[in-house]
Amino acid sequence: MSVHSSANIKRITTHILQEMKDRGEKISMLTAYDYSMAKLVDAAGVDIILVGDSASNVMAGHETTLPITLDQMIYHASAVVRAVKRSFVVIDIPFGSYQGNSSEALRSAIRIMKESGAHAVKVEGGAEIRESVVRILSAGVPVMGHLGLTPQSIYKFGTYTVRAKEKAEAEKLIEDAKILEQCGCFAIVLEKIPASLATQVAQTVRIPVIGIGAGGGVDGQVLVMHDMLGITQEFKPRFLRQYADLQKIMTDAFTQYIQDVKSKDFPNDSESY
Ligand code: KIV
């Protein structure tokens, strides 16, 4: 029996993602970091679940994505993989686990695939990490690239403002996208760049281009779950569409619970044995 046919659910593959681009169907991608949320995201029909190193921010409370470790990413990834029946699951290789050299990159990718059961890895950068990308791909591990605002390099950029507005950076980004495609990456994330540039990249490379803050001319969109659900209220960039106000809903529930406990309303007789 093929794992792809279990429970009659057709799993998303890199091949299916390419077909979606080819026929002009937009690809949906969301982050998830734990079993319960991943189960909801998968059941809703999201095509790609990204176990992003944004876990460092939204799950662990760090200011940047830099502190999260490979072991921590594998912990989050394996919980997500256990929940998923259909979505394609991509895991960020965290900062410091692939930039050193291509052997380290391969070792990290293999640990992620073996220990979490994920379907692919994501890395940030272009020409400078080419060797690592090739090495990971040579082991049969699908790789998603990530260009534009690459949060693992935040101390090089200095700010989270829009990238590649200048000609030289835009040209390098297009070159990097071509390099990632030539290496064999199955998709590329473009973060926070001008919409016209992102559209140009999506039209230049054959592989799917997924945007976050990159406009509507790309092949799909990704958002961080906690931002789109309104759990994180302090982060409101222009590109973010907030689909719920979970901060309010959850806070109201917590407040009501406290009130019910204090007033001895909870538990009542029907909630007791
Ligand atoms: O870590 C993450 O959540 C990401 C997305 C913003 C693309 O890389």
Side-chain angles (χ1 to χ4, degrees):
M1 188 185 75
S2 155
V3 288
H4 294 283
S5 65
S6 71
N8 291 331
I9 291 172
K10 192 169 184 203
R11 275 196 180 276
I12 300 289
T13 61
T14 55
H15 186 68
I16 288 175
L17 294 169
Q18 183 63 56
E19 284 177 345
M20 288 168 81
K21 169 160 183 160
D22 294 344
R23 65 172 177 266
E25 179 183 340
K26 299 280 184 183
I27 296 166
S28 60
M29 173 162 150
L30 266 183
T31 67
Y33 317 96
D34 67 89
Y35 177 84
S36 303
M37 292 295 202
K39 206 165 175 186
L40 295 176
V41 174
D42 179 62
V46 163
D47 300 311
I48 305 176
I49 295 182
L50 171 66
V51 183
D53 56 1
S54 49
S56 179
N57 309 109
V58 297
M59 300 301 286
H62 293 296
E63 203 177 307
T64 71
T65 58
L66 276 66
I68 200 159
T69 65
L70 187 58
D71 284 338
Q72 288 164 342
M73 286 303 296
I74 290 170
Y75 168 79
H76 287 295
S78 52
V80 167
V81 169
R82 279 193 290 275
V84 167
K85 291 190 164 63
R86 174 186 171 272
S87 307
F88 189 75
V89 183
V90 182
I91 319 298
D92 265 332
I93 308 189
F95 176 71
S97 305
Y98 63 97
Q99 290 92 344
N101 58 60
S102 61
S103 306
E104 183 189 35
L106 178 61
R107 241 188 335 268
S108 300
I110 286 180
R111 272 203 65 200
I112 287 173
M113 300 300 282
K114 248 187 183 335
E115 296 177 37
S116 76
H119 310 140
V121 297
K122 177 164 83 57
V123 286
E124 296 183 4
E128 49 292 318
I129 58 156
R130 179 189 208 142
E131 236 182 82
S132 294
V133 170
V134 169
R135 194 87 190 264
I136 297 169
L137 282 160
S138 71
V141 177
V143 177
M144 175 181 264
H146 184 155
L147 300 170
L149 176 63
T150 45
Q152 292 179 7
S153 308
I154 189 57
Y155 290 116
K156 184 175 88 181
F157 299 146
T159 72
Y160 285 97
T161 51
V162 180
R163 302 302 315 172
K165 289 206 306 206
E166 306 301 329
K167 192 163 173 254
E169 195 180 339
E171 282 172 359
K172 174 169 172 15
L173 190 142
I174 293 169
E175 276 317 299
D176 281 342
K178 287 185 193 164
I179 287 170
L180 292 174
E181 177 179 45
Q182 280 157 13
C183 288
C185 285
F186 73 93
I188 300 170
V189 165
L190 294 181
E191 181 165 351
K192 222 169 174 187
I193 63 168
S196 55
L197 175 62
T199 304
Q200 192 184 339
V201 174
Q203 287 169 354
T204 303
V205 297
R206 252 205 81 221
I207 56 175
V209 172
I210 315 288
I212 174 164
V218 289
D219 308 304
Q221 299 293 328
V222 55
L223 286 176
V224 169
M225 173 196 282
H226 290 61
D227 300 336
M228 64 89 76
L229 289 179
I231 297 173
T232 42
Q233 292 277 355
E234 55 286 349
F235 181 67
K236 288 218 168 113
R238 172 184 169 143
F239 69 75
L240 175 64
R241 186 176 293 182
Q242 196 182 303
Y243 286 84
D245 189 353
L246 282 203
Q247 187 172 95
K248 178 168 180 352
I249 290 170
M250 291 170 81
T251 304
D252 286 352
F254 299 146
T255 310
Q256 186 64 53
Y257 167 72
I258 294 165
Q259 206 177 305
D260 290 354
V261 169
K262 301 278 181 194
S263 69
K264 302 180 186 155
D265 178 79
F266 175 79
N268 61 26
D269 287 349
S270 69
E271 289 159 336
S272 305
Y273 298 98

